[in-house]
Amino acid sequence: MGLPTSLVRRHDHLRALSALGLQLEKPAFPAILQCPRCGQYTLQLFDDLFTDGIWLNCQGCSLYGDIIIFGKDLWKLSLPNTLAKFSEMGLIAENDADKAVGEYERYFRRKTAVDNFLYVAV
């Protein structure tokens, strides 16, 4: 289940995290922060060298994904609206967001199918 290459440029990662309500004292990964969803200090942030992005995973509420998917789930928005929101913040080029909707939707359908399978299996 491949994740699309990060649309948020590396130099914008801290701004994107800030948009999600996350403040890092030092821009170093891995890091553990308070999750904006559950309020516990169980949110792990990792440098994702495969996608040139950041991976977020909360052990408390099980919210996880790259910045885009994490933002989608946190803000409870559709994928196109999430991409548009990041684009409005200047974190994604508008033409990149338009092109990426299909790729992210395919990834999100696979991620949801795996999540559902794992939920039923447990």
Side-chain angles (χ1 to χ4, degrees), residues 8 12-21 67 75 86 89 91:
V8 177
D12 288 330
H13 284 168
L14 292 179
R15 282 186 39 223
L17 290 171
S18 179
L20 295 172
I67 289 175
W75 294 328
F86 277 115
M89 292 178 201
L91 298 170

Side-chain angles (χ1 to χ4, degrees), residues 1-96:
M1 175 169 55
L3 188 65
T5 302
S6 181
L7 295 173
V8 177
R9 296 168 298 278
R10 184 157 288 283
H11 64 276
D12 288 330
H13 284 168
L14 292 179
R15 282 186 39 223
L17 290 171
S18 179
L20 295 172
L22 302 170
Q23 301 297 324
L24 285 172
E25 289 181 26
K26 300 177 190 174
F29 301 102
I32 297 177
L33 298 174
Q34 183 177 9
C35 178
R37 182 181 186 189
C38 70
Q40 299 179 44
Y41 283 91
T42 53
L43 179 63
Q44 302 169 344
L45 283 69
F46 302 95
D47 227 348
D48 186 351
L49 301 177
F50 181 70
T51 65
D52 199 30
I54 295 173
W55 187 259
L56 301 95
N57 181 44
C58 182
Q59 298 294 314
C61 65
S62 301
L63 187 63
Y64 70 95
D66 72 335
I67 289 175
I68 305 294
I69 299 299
F70 192 88
K72 176 198 171 310
D73 292 343
L74 180 66
W75 294 328
K76 296 178 176 31
L77 294 175
S78 69
L79 192 54
N81 287 343
T82 302
L83 291 169
K85 186 170 182 169
F86 277 115
S87 183
E88 289 167 5
M89 292 178 201
L91 298 170
I92 300 174
E94 192 171 326
N95 58 343
D96 288 345

